[in-house]
Amino acid sequence: MLRYRMHALVALAVLAILALPTGIVAQGTTSVNGVIFLSDTATLPSSAVITIQLADVTQPGAPAKVITERVFNTGGAQSPFSFSLPYIPQQISQSNRYIIQGNIRVAGQILYRTEAPHTVNTSGTPSNNLQVTMVKVANSGLPQSSAGTQPLLLAGALLLAAFTVMALRRRLA
C-alpha cells in the first residue's frame, strides 16, 4: 500500500513539474482580441481558412515582421469571426508600429484580405474588441457559381436553332 502511495506522489510531482513551464509561459503572455467582419454578405464555403496576424510595420518599404498569427478553418461558420492573438510582451518595442492583418483563403486562393491597416496599441494594455474588416479580392481566381451559364445558354440556343432548321428542311423536302 505504501508503495502505491509513493508512486502516486512521484506521479503528482512529475505532473506538477511538467505543468510549471506552461503556467509560467501563460502568465508571460498578453493578447490582442477582436472580431473579423466581411465587407459583403457572401457565404463562405466550409473549407475557408482564416489567417490573422499581429505584425511589426515600423520599417517603411520592408515586409511586415509577423509577431504572432492564428490560422483556423471556418468549418462552415459565417462572419463575424472572433480571434485572439497571444504574444509575449518582450517581443514588442514601445517605439515600433504594429498592425493586424490577415486573409481568407479557399483552396489556396485568397478571397478576402485586410485592405486598410488596423493599428494596434501594444503599449501598456493591449487592444481589445478590434473590428477588422476583410474585403473581397477583385481577381480571386475562383470562378463565380454562375460563371459558365452564359456560354451554355448560347450553345443551347444555337443547338435548338440547328434542330429547327433541320426540321424545316425535312418538311420542305
Side-chain angles (χ1 to χ4, degrees):
M1 192 67 147
L2 182 62
R3 184 176 179 194
Y4 291 113
R5 286 185 186 169
M6 188 62 116
H7 286 294
L9 285 173
V10 169
L12 284 174
V14 168
L15 285 175
I17 290 170
L18 290 175
L20 185 62
T22 305
I24 291 171
V25 171
Q27 290 174 1
T29 62
T30 308
S31 63
V32 174
N33 303 299
V35 179
I36 300 167
F37 295 94
L38 298 182
S39 61
D40 60 15
T41 58
T43 301
L44 294 173
S46 61
S47 61
V49 176
I50 297 175
T51 301
I52 192 82
Q53 302 172 329
L54 171 63
D56 183 340
V57 291
T58 306
Q59 297 295 328
K65 178 185 172 197
V66 176
I67 304 300
T68 186
E69 82 173 4
R70 287 284 187 235
V71 178
F72 58 94
N73 191 307
T74 62
Q78 299 301 316
S79 174
F81 303 98
S82 296
F83 70 89
S84 180
L85 288 169
Y87 65 91
I88 299 169
Q90 290 78 10
Q91 294 178 303
I92 303 298
S93 171
Q94 301 296 334
S95 60
N96 289 4
R97 184 170 167 250
Y98 298 92
I99 64 165
I100 296 294
Q101 64 184 12
N103 62 53
I104 300 175
R105 295 176 183 261
V106 174
Q109 303 263 338
I110 296 176
L111 293 183
Y112 290 85
R113 65 178 176 82
T114 50
E115 186 173 56
H118 298 276
T119 305
V120 178
N121 175 18
T122 52
S123 60
T125 57
S127 295
N128 285 310
N129 303 318
L130 292 174
Q131 294 188 359
V132 177
T133 301
M134 292 198 186
V135 297
K136 191 167 187 99
V137 174
N139 270 335
S140 65
L142 293 177
Q144 297 296 322
S145 59
S146 61
T149 57
Q150 192 172 20
L152 286 174
L153 288 173
L154 180 61
L158 290 172
L159 188 59
L160 184 60
F163 283 133
T164 304
V165 168
M166 284 178 38
L168 287 174
R169 282 187 180 173
R170 282 191 179 176
R171 283 192 181 173
L172 294 175

CSV table of all heavy atoms in Angstrom, one decimal, residues 51-115:
chain,number,residue,atom,x,y,z
A,51,THR,N,-6.5,33.4,-41.8
A,51,THR,CA,-5.2,33.7,-41.2
A,51,THR,C,-5.2,35.1,-40.7
A,51,THR,O,-5.6,36.1,-41.4
A,51,THR,CB,-4.1,33.6,-42.3
A,51,THR,OG1,-4.0,32.3,-42.8
A,51,THR,CG2,-2.7,33.9,-41.6
A,52,ILE,N,-4.9,35.3,-39.4
A,52,ILE,CA,-4.9,36.7,-38.8
A,52,ILE,C,-3.6,36.8,-38.1
A,52,ILE,O,-3.1,35.9,-37.5
A,52,ILE,CB,-6.1,36.9,-37.9
A,52,ILE,CG1,-6.3,38.3,-37.4
A,52,ILE,CG2,-6.1,35.9,-36.7
A,52,ILE,CD1,-7.0,39.2,-38.4
A,53,GLN,N,-2.9,38.0,-38.2
A,53,GLN,CA,-1.6,38.2,-37.7
A,53,GLN,C,-1.4,39.5,-37.0
A,53,GLN,O,-2.0,40.5,-37.4
A,53,GLN,CB,-0.6,38.2,-38.9
A,53,GLN,CG,-0.6,36.9,-39.7
A,53,GLN,CD,0.3,37.1,-41.0
A,53,GLN,OE1,0.5,38.2,-41.5
A,53,GLN,NE2,0.9,36.0,-41.4
A,54,LEU,N,-0.5,39.5,-36.0
A,54,LEU,CA,0.0,40.7,-35.4
A,54,LEU,C,1.3,40.9,-36.0
A,54,LEU,O,2.2,40.1,-36.0
A,54,LEU,CB,0.1,40.6,-33.9
A,54,LEU,CG,0.8,41.7,-33.1
A,54,LEU,CD1,0.0,43.0,-33.3
A,54,LEU,CD2,0.9,41.4,-31.7
A,55,ALA,N,1.6,42.1,-36.7
A,55,ALA,CA,2.8,42.3,-37.4
A,55,ALA,C,3.4,43.7,-37.1
A,55,ALA,O,2.7,44.6,-36.9
A,55,ALA,CB,2.5,42.2,-38.9
A,56,ASP,N,4.7,43.7,-37.2
A,56,ASP,CA,5.5,45.0,-37.0
A,56,ASP,C,5.7,45.6,-38.3
A,56,ASP,O,6.3,45.0,-39.2
A,56,ASP,CB,6.8,44.6,-36.3
A,56,ASP,CG,7.7,45.8,-36.0
A,56,ASP,OD1,7.5,46.9,-36.6
A,56,ASP,OD2,8.6,45.7,-35.2
A,57,VAL,N,5.3,46.8,-38.5
A,57,VAL,CA,5.4,47.5,-39.8
A,57,VAL,C,6.2,48.8,-39.6
A,57,VAL,O,5.9,49.8,-40.3
A,57,VAL,CB,4.0,47.8,-40.4
A,57,VAL,CG1,3.4,46.5,-40.9
A,57,VAL,CG2,3.1,48.6,-39.5
A,58,THR,N,7.1,48.8,-38.7
A,58,THR,CA,7.9,50.0,-38.4
A,58,THR,C,8.8,50.4,-39.6
A,58,THR,O,8.9,51.6,-39.9
A,58,THR,CB,8.8,49.8,-37.2
A,58,THR,OG1,8.0,49.3,-36.1
A,58,THR,CG2,9.5,51.0,-36.8
A,59,GLN,N,9.4,49.5,-40.3
A,59,GLN,CA,10.3,49.8,-41.4
A,59,GLN,C,9.5,50.1,-42.7
A,59,GLN,O,9.0,49.2,-43.2
A,59,GLN,CB,11.3,48.6,-41.6
A,59,GLN,CG,12.2,48.4,-40.5
A,59,GLN,CD,13.2,49.5,-40.2
A,59,GLN,OE1,13.6,50.2,-41.1
A,59,GLN,NE2,13.5,49.7,-38.9
A,60,PRO,N,9.5,51.3,-43.1
A,60,PRO,CA,8.8,51.6,-44.4
A,60,PRO,C,9.4,50.9,-45.6
A,60,PRO,O,10.7,50.8,-45.7
A,60,PRO,CB,8.9,53.1,-44.6
A,60,PRO,CG,9.7,53.7,-43.4
A,60,PRO,CD,10.2,52.5,-42.6
A,61,GLY,N,8.6,50.3,-46.4
A,61,GLY,CA,9.1,49.6,-47.6
A,61,GLY,C,9.5,48.2,-47.3
A,61,GLY,O,9.7,47.4,-48.3
A,62,ALA,N,9.7,47.8,-46.1
A,62,ALA,CA,10.1,46.5,-45.7
A,62,ALA,C,8.9,45.6,-45.5
A,62,ALA,O,7.9,46.1,-45.1
A,62,ALA,CB,11.0,46.5,-44.5
A,63,PRO,N,9.0,44.3,-45.7
A,63,PRO,CA,7.8,43.4,-45.4
A,63,PRO,C,7.5,43.5,-43.9
A,63,PRO,O,8.4,43.6,-43.1
A,63,PRO,CB,8.3,42.1,-45.9
A,63,PRO,CG,9.7,42.1,-46.3
A,63,PRO,CD,10.1,43.6,-46.3
A,64,ALA,N,6.3,43.3,-43.6
A,64,ALA,CA,5.9,43.3,-42.2
A,64,ALA,C,6.5,42.1,-41.5
A,64,ALA,O,6.6,41.0,-42.1
A,64,ALA,CB,4.3,43.2,-42.1
A,65,LYS,N,6.9,42.3,-40.3
A,65,LYS,CA,7.5,41.2,-39.5
A,65,LYS,C,6.4,40.6,-38.6
A,65,LYS,O,5.9,41.3,-37.7
A,65,LYS,CB,8.7,41.7,-38.6
A,65,LYS,CG,9.3,40.6,-37.8
A,65,LYS,CD,10.3,41.2,-36.8
A,65,LYS,CE,10.8,40.2,-35.8
A,65,LYS,NZ,11.5,40.8,-34.7
A,66,VAL,N,6.0,39.4,-38.8
A,66,VAL,CA,4.9,38.8,-38.1
A,66,VAL,C,5.4,38.4,-36.7
A,66,VAL,O,6.4,37.7,-36.5
A,66,VAL,CB,4.4,37.5,-38.8
A,66,VAL,CG1,3.3,36.8,-38.0
A,66,VAL,CG2,3.9,37.9,-40.2
A,67,ILE,N,4.7,38.9,-35.7
A,67,ILE,CA,5.0,38.6,-34.3
A,67,ILE,C,4.3,37.4,-33.9
A,67,ILE,O,4.9,36.5,-33.2
A,67,ILE,CB,4.5,39.8,-33.4
A,67,ILE,CG1,5.2,41.1,-33.8
A,67,ILE,CG2,4.8,39.5,-31.9
A,67,ILE,CD1,6.7,41.1,-33.8
A,68,THR,N,3.0,37.2,-34.2
A,68,THR,CA,2.2,36.0,-33.9
A,68,THR,C,1.1,35.9,-35.0
A,68,THR,O,0.7,36.9,-35.5
A,68,THR,CB,1.7,36.1,-32.5
A,68,THR,OG1,1.0,34.8,-32.2
A,68,THR,CG2,0.7,37.2,-32.3
A,69,GLU,N,0.6,34.7,-35.1
A,69,GLU,CA,-0.5,34.5,-36.1
A,69,GLU,C,-1.4,33.3,-35.6
A,69,GLU,O,-0.9,32.5,-34.9
A,69,GLU,CB,0.0,34.3,-37.5
A,69,GLU,CG,0.4,32.9,-37.9
A,69,GLU,CD,0.8,32.8,-39.3
A,69,GLU,OE1,0.7,33.7,-40.1
A,69,GLU,OE2,1.1,31.6,-39.7
A,70,ARG,N,-2.6,33.4,-36.1
A,70,ARG,CA,-3.5,32.2,-35.9
A,70,ARG,C,-4.1,31.9,-37.2
A,70,ARG,O,-4.5,32.8,-38.0
A,70,ARG,CB,-4.7,32.6,-35.0
A,70,ARG,CG,-4.3,32.8,-33.5
A,70,ARG,CD,-4.1,31.4,-32.9
A,70,ARG,NE,-3.9,31.5,-31.5
A,70,ARG,CZ,-2.9,31.0,-30.9
A,70,ARG,NH1,-2.0,30.4,-31.5
A,70,ARG,NH2,-2.8,31.2,-29.6
A,71,VAL,N,-4.2,30.6,-37.5
A,71,VAL,CA,-4.8,30.1,-38.7
A,71,VAL,C,-5.8,29.1,-38.3
A,71,VAL,O,-5.6,28.2,-37.5
A,71,VAL,CB,-3.7,29.4,-39.6
A,71,VAL,CG1,-4.3,28.8,-40.9
A,71,VAL,CG2,-2.6,30.3,-40.0
A,72,PHE,N,-7.1,29.3,-38.8
A,72,PHE,CA,-8.1,28.4,-38.4
A,72,PHE,C,-9.1,28.2,-39.5
A,72,PHE,O,-9.3,29.1,-40.4
A,72,PHE,CB,-8.8,28.9,-37.1
A,72,PHE,CG,-9.4,30.2,-37.2
A,72,PHE,CD1,-10.8,30.4,-37.5
A,72,PHE,CD2,-8.7,31.4,-36.9
A,72,PHE,CE1,-11.3,31.7,-37.5
A,72,PHE,CE2,-9.2,32.6,-36.9
A,72,PHE,CZ,-10.6,32.8,-37.2
A,73,ASN,N,-9.8,27.1,-39.6
A,73,ASN,CA,-10.8,26.7,-40.6
A,73,ASN,C,-12.1,27.2,-40.1
A,73,ASN,O,-12.4,27.1,-38.9
A,73,ASN,CB,-10.8,25.2,-40.8
A,73,ASN,CG,-11.6,24.8,-41.9
A,73,ASN,OD1,-12.8,25.1,-42.1
A,73,ASN,ND2,-11.0,24.0,-42.8
A,74,THR,N,-12.9,27.8,-40.9
A,74,THR,CA,-14.2,28.3,-40.5
A,74,THR,C,-15.2,27.1,-40.2
A,74,THR,O,-16.1,27.3,-39.4
A,74,THR,CB,-14.9,29.1,-41.6
A,74,THR,OG1,-15.1,28.4,-42.8
A,74,THR,CG2,-14.0,30.3,-41.9
A,75,GLY,N,-15.0,26.0,-40.8
A,75,GLY,CA,-15.9,24.8,-40.5
A,75,GLY,C,-17.3,25.1,-40.8
A,75,GLY,O,-18.2,24.5,-40.2
A,76,GLY,N,-17.6,26.0,-41.8
A,76,GLY,CA,-19.0,26.3,-42.1
A,76,GLY,C,-19.5,27.5,-41.4
A,76,GLY,O,-20.6,28.0,-41.7
A,77,ALA,N,-18.8,28.0,-40.4
A,77,ALA,CA,-19.3,29.2,-39.6
A,77,ALA,C,-19.2,30.4,-40.6
A,77,ALA,O,-18.4,30.4,-41.5
A,77,ALA,CB,-18.5,29.4,-38.4
A,78,GLN,N,-20.0,31.4,-40.3
A,78,GLN,CA,-20.0,32.6,-41.1
A,78,GLN,C,-19.6,33.8,-40.3
A,78,GLN,O,-19.6,33.8,-39.1
A,78,GLN,CB,-21.4,32.8,-41.8
A,78,GLN,CG,-21.8,31.6,-42.7
A,78,GLN,CD,-20.8,31.4,-43.8
A,78,GLN,OE1,-20.4,32.3,-44.5
A,78,GLN,NE2,-20.5,30.1,-44.1
A,79,SER,N,-19.3,34.9,-41.0
A,79,SER,CA,-18.9,36.2,-40.4
A,79,SER,C,-20.0,36.7,-39.4
A,79,SER,O,-21.2,36.5,-39.7
A,79,SER,CB,-18.7,37.2,-41.5
A,79,SER,OG,-18.4,38.5,-41.0
A,80,PRO,N,-19.6,37.3,-38.3
A,80,PRO,CA,-18.2,37.6,-37.8
A,80,PRO,C,-17.5,36.5,-37.1
A,80,PRO,O,-18.2,35.5,-36.6
A,80,PRO,CB,-18.5,38.8,-36.8
A,80,PRO,CG,-19.9,38.5,-36.3
A,80,PRO,CD,-20.6,37.8,-37.4
A,81,PHE,N,-16.2,36.5,-37.1
A,81,PHE,CA,-15.3,35.5,-36.5
A,81,PHE,C,-14.5,36.2,-35.4
A,81,PHE,O,-13.9,37.2,-35.6
A,81,PHE,CB,-14.3,35.0,-37.6
A,81,PHE,CG,-15.0,34.4,-38.8
A,81,PHE,CD1,-15.1,35.1,-39.9
A,81,PHE,CD2,-15.5,33.1,-38.7
A,81,PHE,CE1,-15.7,34.6,-41.1
A,81,PHE,CE2,-16.2,32.5,-39.8
A,81,PHE,CZ,-16.3,33.3,-41.0
A,82,SER,N,-14.5,35.6,-34.2
A,82,SER,CA,-13.7,36.1,-33.1
A,82,SER,C,-12.3,35.6,-33.2
A,82,SER,O,-12.1,34.5,-33.7
A,82,SER,CB,-14.3,35.7,-31.8
A,82,SER,OG,-15.6,36.2,-31.6
A,83,PHE,N,-11.3,36.4,-32.8
A,83,PHE,CA,-9.9,36.0,-32.8
A,83,PHE,C,-9.2,36.5,-31.5
A,83,PHE,O,-9.7,37.5,-30.9
A,83,PHE,CB,-9.2,36.4,-34.0
A,83,PHE,CG,-8.9,37.9,-34.1
A,83,PHE,CD1,-7.8,38.5,-33.5
A,83,PHE,CD2,-9.8,38.7,-34.7
A,83,PHE,CE1,-7.5,39.8,-33.6
A,83,PHE,CE2,-9.6,40.1,-34.8
A,83,PHE,CZ,-8.5,40.6,-34.2
A,84,SER,N,-8.2,35.8,-31.2
A,84,SER,CA,-7.3,36.2,-30.1
A,84,SER,C,-5.9,35.9,-30.5
A,84,SER,O,-5.6,34.7,-30.9
A,84,SER,CB,-7.7,35.4,-28.8
A,84,SER,OG,-6.8,35.8,-27.7
A,85,LEU,N,-5.0,36.9,-30.4
A,85,LEU,CA,-3.6,36.7,-30.8
A,85,LEU,C,-2.7,36.9,-29.6
A,85,LEU,O,-2.4,38.0,-29.3
A,85,LEU,CB,-3.2,37.7,-31.9
A,85,LEU,CG,-3.8,37.5,-33.3
A,85,LEU,CD1,-3.6,38.7,-34.2
A,85,LEU,CD2,-3.2,36.3,-33.9
A,86,PRO,N,-2.3,35.8,-28.9
A,86,PRO,CA,-1.4,35.9,-27.8
A,86,PRO,C,0.0,36.3,-28.3
A,86,PRO,O,0.4,35.8,-29.3
A,86,PRO,CB,-1.5,34.6,-27.1
A,86,PRO,CG,-2.1,33.7,-28.1
A,86,PRO,CD,-2.8,34.4,-29.2
A,87,TYR,N,0.6,37.1,-27.5
A,87,TYR,CA,2.0,37.4,-27.8
A,87,TYR,C,2.8,37.7,-26.5
A,87,TYR,O,2.2,37.9,-25.5
A,87,TYR,CB,2.2,38.7,-28.7
A,87,TYR,CG,1.7,40.0,-28.1
A,87,TYR,CD1,2.5,40.8,-27.4
A,87,TYR,CD2,0.3,40.3,-28.2
A,87,TYR,CE1,2.1,42.0,-26.8
A,87,TYR,CE2,-0.2,41.5,-27.6
A,87,TYR,CZ,0.7,42.3,-26.9
A,87,TYR,OH,0.3,43.5,-26.3
A,88,ILE,N,4.1,37.6,-26.6
A,88,ILE,CA,5.0,37.8,-25.4
A,88,ILE,C,5.4,39.3,-25.4
A,88,ILE,O,5.9,39.8,-26.4
A,88,ILE,CB,6.2,36.9,-25.5
A,88,ILE,CG1,5.8,35.4,-25.5
A,88,ILE,CG2,7.2,37.2,-24.3
A,88,ILE,CD1,6.8,34.4,-25.8
A,89,PRO,N,5.0,40.0,-24.4
A,89,PRO,CA,5.3,41.4,-24.3
A,89,PRO,C,6.8,41.8,-24.6
A,89,PRO,O,7.0,42.9,-25.1
A,89,PRO,CB,4.9,41.8,-22.9
A,89,PRO,CG,3.9,40.8,-22.5
A,89,PRO,CD,4.3,39.6,-23.2
A,90,GLN,N,7.7,40.9,-24.3
A,90,GLN,CA,9.1,41.2,-24.5
A,90,GLN,C,9.4,41.3,-26.0
A,90,GLN,O,10.5,41.8,-26.4
A,90,GLN,CB,10.0,40.2,-23.8
A,90,GLN,CG,10.0,40.2,-22.3
A,90,GLN,CD,8.8,39.6,-21.7
A,90,GLN,OE1,8.0,39.0,-22.3
A,90,GLN,NE2,8.6,39.9,-20.4
A,91,GLN,N,8.6,40.8,-26.9
A,91,GLN,CA,8.8,40.9,-28.3
A,91,GLN,C,8.4,42.2,-28.9
A,91,GLN,O,8.6,42.5,-30.0
A,91,GLN,CB,7.9,39.8,-29.0
A,91,GLN,CG,8.4,38.4,-28.7
A,91,GLN,CD,7.5,37.4,-29.5
A,91,GLN,OE1,6.3,37.4,-29.3
A,91,GLN,NE2,8.1,36.6,-30.3
A,92,ILE,N,7.7,43.1,-28.1
A,92,ILE,CA,7.2,44.3,-28.5
A,92,ILE,C,8.1,45.5,-28.1
A,92,ILE,O,8.5,45.6,-26.9
A,92,ILE,CB,5.7,44.5,-27.9
A,92,ILE,CG1,4.8,43.4,-28.3
A,92,ILE,CG2,5.2,45.9,-28.3
A,92,ILE,CD1,4.6,43.2,-29.8
A,93,SER,N,8.3,46.4,-29.0
A,93,SER,CA,9.1,47.6,-28.7
A,93,SER,C,8.1,48.8,-28.6
A,93,SER,O,7.3,48.9,-29.6
A,93,SER,CB,10.2,47.8,-29.7
A,93,SER,OG,10.8,49.1,-29.5
A,94,GLN,N,8.2,49.6,-27.6
A,94,GLN,CA,7.2,50.7,-27.5
A,94,GLN,C,7.4,51.7,-28.6
A,94,GLN,O,6.4,52.4,-28.9
A,94,GLN,CB,7.5,51.4,-26.1
A,94,GLN,CG,7.4,50.6,-24.9
A,94,GLN,CD,6.0,50.1,-24.7
A,94,GLN,OE1,5.0,50.7,-25.1
A,94,GLN,NE2,5.8,48.9,-24.0
A,95,SER,N,8.5,51.7,-29.3
A,95,SER,CA,8.7,52.7,-30.3
A,95,SER,C,8.3,52.2,-31.7
A,95,SER,O,8.3,53.0,-32.7
A,95,SER,CB,10.2,53.1,-30.4
A,95,SER,OG,11.0,52.0,-30.6
A,96,ASN,N,7.9,50.9,-31.8
A,96,ASN,CA,7.5,50.4,-33.1
A,96,ASN,C,6.0,50.5,-33.4
A,96,ASN,O,5.2,50.7,-32.5
A,96,ASN,CB,8.0,48.9,-33.2
A,96,ASN,CG,9.5,48.7,-33.3
A,96,ASN,OD1,10.2,49.7,-33.2
A,96,ASN,ND2,9.9,47.5,-33.4
A,97,ARG,N,5.7,50.3,-34.6
A,97,ARG,CA,4.2,50.4,-35.1
A,97,ARG,C,3.8,49.0,-35.4
A,97,ARG,O,4.4,48.2,-36.2
A,97,ARG,CB,4.1,51.3,-36.3
A,97,ARG,CG,2.7,51.5,-36.7
A,97,ARG,CD,2.6,52.6,-37.8
A,97,ARG,NE,1.3,52.6,-38.4
A,97,ARG,CZ,1.1,52.2,-39.6
A,97,ARG,NH1,2.1,51.9,-40.4
A,97,ARG,NH2,-0.1,52.2,-40.1
A,98,TYR,N,2.6,48.6,-34.9
A,98,TYR,CA,2.1,47.2,-35.1
A,98,TYR,C,0.7,47.3,-35.7
A,98,TYR,O,-0.1,48.2,-35.4
A,98,TYR,CB,2.0,46.5,-33.7
A,98,TYR,CG,3.4,46.3,-33.1
A,98,TYR,CD1,3.9,47.2,-32.3
A,98,TYR,CD2,4.2,45.2,-33.5
A,98,TYR,CE1,5.2,47.1,-31.7
A,98,TYR,CE2,5.5,45.1,-33.0
A,98,TYR,CZ,6.0,46.0,-32.1
A,98,TYR,OH,7.2,45.9,-31.6
A,99,ILE,N,0.4,46.3,-36.5
A,99,ILE,CA,-1.0,46.2,-37.1
A,99,ILE,C,-1.5,44.8,-37.1
A,99,ILE,O,-0.8,43.9,-36.8
A,99,ILE,CB,-0.9,46.7,-38.6
A,99,ILE,CG1,-0.1,45.7,-39.5
A,99,ILE,CG2,-0.5,48.1,-38.8
A,99,ILE,CD1,-0.2,45.8,-40.9
A,100,ILE,N,-2.8,44.7,-37.3
A,100,ILE,CA,-3.4,43.4,-37.5
A,100,ILE,C,-3.7,43.3,-39.0
A,100,ILE,O,-4.2,44.2,-39.7
A,100,ILE,CB,-4.8,43.3,-36.8
A,100,ILE,CG1,-4.6,43.5,-35.3
A,100,ILE,CG2,-5.6,42.1,-37.1
A,100,ILE,CD1,-3.8,42.3,-34.7
A,101,GLN,N,-3.3,42.2,-39.6
A,101,GLN,CA,-3.5,41.9,-41.0
A,101,GLN,C,-3.9,40.5,-41.2
A,101,GLN,O,-3.7,39.6,-40.3
A,101,GLN,CB,-2.2,42.2,-41.8
A,101,GLN,CG,-1.1,41.3,-41.4
A,101,GLN,CD,0.2,41.6,-42.2
A,101,GLN,OE1,0.3,42.7,-42.8
A,101,GLN,NE2,1.2,40.8,-42.1
A,102,GLY,N,-4.6,40.1,-42.3
A,102,GLY,CA,-5.0,38.8,-42.5
A,102,GLY,C,-5.6,38.6,-43.8
A,102,GLY,O,-5.8,39.5,-44.6
A,103,ASN,N,-6.1,37.3,-44.0
A,103,ASN,CA,-6.8,37.0,-45.3
A,103,ASN,C,-7.6,35.7,-45.0
A,103,ASN,O,-7.5,35.1,-44.0
A,103,ASN,CB,-5.8,36.7,-46.4
A,103,ASN,CG,-4.8,35.6,-46.2
A,103,ASN,OD1,-5.2,34.5,-45.8
A,103,ASN,ND2,-3.5,35.8,-46.3
A,104,ILE,N,-8.5,35.5,-46.0
A,104,ILE,CA,-9.3,34.3,-46.0
A,104,ILE,C,-9.1,33.6,-47.3
A,104,ILE,O,-9.2,34.2,-48.4
A,104,ILE,CB,-10.8,34.6,-45.9
A,104,ILE,CG1,-11.1,35.4,-44.5
A,104,ILE,CG2,-11.7,33.4,-46.0
A,104,ILE,CD1,-12.5,35.9,-44.4
A,105,ARG,N,-8.7,32.3,-47.2
A,105,ARG,CA,-8.4,31.5,-48.4
A,105,ARG,C,-9.4,30.3,-48.6
A,105,ARG,O,-9.9,29.8,-47.6
A,105,ARG,CB,-7.0,30.9,-48.3
A,105,ARG,CG,-5.9,31.9,-48.3
A,105,ARG,CD,-4.5,31.3,-48.1
A,105,ARG,NE,-3.5,32.3,-48.0
A,105,ARG,CZ,-2.7,32.6,-49.0
A,105,ARG,NH1,-2.8,32.0,-50.2
A,105,ARG,NH2,-1.8,33.5,-48.9
A,106,VAL,N,-9.6,30.0,-49.9
A,106,VAL,CA,-10.3,28.8,-50.2
A,106,VAL,C,-9.5,28.1,-51.3
A,106,VAL,O,-9.1,28.7,-52.3
A,106,VAL,CB,-11.7,29.1,-50.7
A,106,VAL,CG1,-12.4,27.8,-51.2
A,106,VAL,CG2,-12.6,29.7,-49.6
A,107,ALA,N,-9.1,26.8,-51.0
A,107,ALA,CA,-8.3,26.0,-52.0
A,107,ALA,C,-7.0,26.8,-52.3
A,107,ALA,O,-6.6,26.8,-53.5
A,107,ALA,CB,-9.1,25.7,-53.2
A,108,GLY,N,-6.4,27.5,-51.3
A,108,GLY,CA,-5.2,28.1,-51.5
A,108,GLY,C,-5.3,29.5,-52.2
A,108,GLY,O,-4.3,30.2,-52.3
A,109,GLN,N,-6.5,29.9,-52.6
A,109,GLN,CA,-6.7,31.2,-53.3
A,109,GLN,C,-7.2,32.2,-52.3
A,109,GLN,O,-8.1,31.9,-51.5
A,109,GLN,CB,-7.7,31.0,-54.4
A,109,GLN,CG,-7.3,30.0,-55.5
A,109,GLN,CD,-6.7,30.7,-56.7
A,109,GLN,OE1,-6.9,31.8,-56.9
A,109,GLN,NE2,-5.9,29.9,-57.4
A,110,ILE,N,-6.7,33.4,-52.3
A,110,ILE,CA,-7.1,34.4,-51.4
A,110,ILE,C,-8.5,35.0,-51.9
A,110,ILE,O,-8.5,35.5,-53.0
A,110,ILE,CB,-6.1,35.6,-51.2
A,110,ILE,CG1,-4.8,35.0,-50.6
A,110,ILE,CG2,-6.7,36.7,-50.4
A,110,ILE,CD1,-3.7,36.0,-50.4
A,111,LEU,N,-9.5,34.9,-51.1
A,111,LEU,CA,-10.8,35.5,-51.4
A,111,LEU,C,-11.0,36.9,-50.8
A,111,LEU,O,-11.6,37.8,-51.4
A,111,LEU,CB,-12.0,34.6,-51.0
A,111,LEU,CG,-12.1,33.3,-51.7
A,111,LEU,CD1,-13.3,32.5,-51.1
A,111,LEU,CD2,-12.2,33.4,-53.2
A,112,TYR,N,-10.5,37.0,-49.5
A,112,TYR,CA,-10.7,38.3,-48.8
A,112,TYR,C,-9.3,38.6,-48.1
A,112,TYR,O,-8.6,37.7,-47.8
A,112,TYR,CB,-11.7,38.1,-47.7
A,112,TYR,CG,-13.1,38.0,-48.2
A,112,TYR,CD1,-13.7,36.8,-48.6
A,112,TYR,CD2,-13.9,39.2,-48.3
A,112,TYR,CE1,-15.0,36.7,-49.1
A,112,TYR,CE2,-15.2,39.1,-48.8
A,112,TYR,CZ,-15.7,37.9,-49.1
A,112,TYR,OH,-17.0,37.8,-49.6
A,113,ARG,N,-9.1,39.9,-47.9
A,113,ARG,CA,-7.9,40.3,-47.2
A,113,ARG,C,-8.2,41.6,-46.5
A,113,ARG,O,-9.1,42.3,-46.8
A,113,ARG,CB,-6.7,40.4,-48.1
A,113,ARG,CG,-6.9,41.5,-49.1
A,113,ARG,CD,-5.6,41.6,-50.0
A,113,ARG,NE,-5.7,42.6,-51.0
A,113,ARG,CZ,-5.6,43.9,-50.9
A,113,ARG,NH1,-5.2,44.4,-49.7
A,113,ARG,NH2,-5.7,44.7,-51.9
A,114,THR,N,-7.4,41.9,-45.5
A,114,THR,CA,-7.5,43.2,-44.9
A,114,THR,C,-6.9,44.3,-45.9
A,114,THR,O,-5.9,44.1,-46.4
A,114,THR,CB,-6.7,43.3,-43.5
A,114,THR,OG1,-5.3,42.8,-43.8
A,114,THR,CG2,-7.3,42.5,-42.5
A,115,GLU,N,-7.7,45.3,-46.1
A,115,GLU,CA,-7.3,46.3,-47.0
A,115,GLU,C,-6.6,47.5,-46.3
A,115,GLU,O,-5.5,47.9,-46.7
A,115,GLU,CB,-8.5,46.8,-47.8
A,115,GLU,CG,-8.1,47.8,-48.9
A,115,GLU,CD,-9.3,48.1,-49.7
A,115,GLU,OE1,-10.3,48.6,-49.2
A,115,GLU,OE2,-9.3,47.9,-51.0
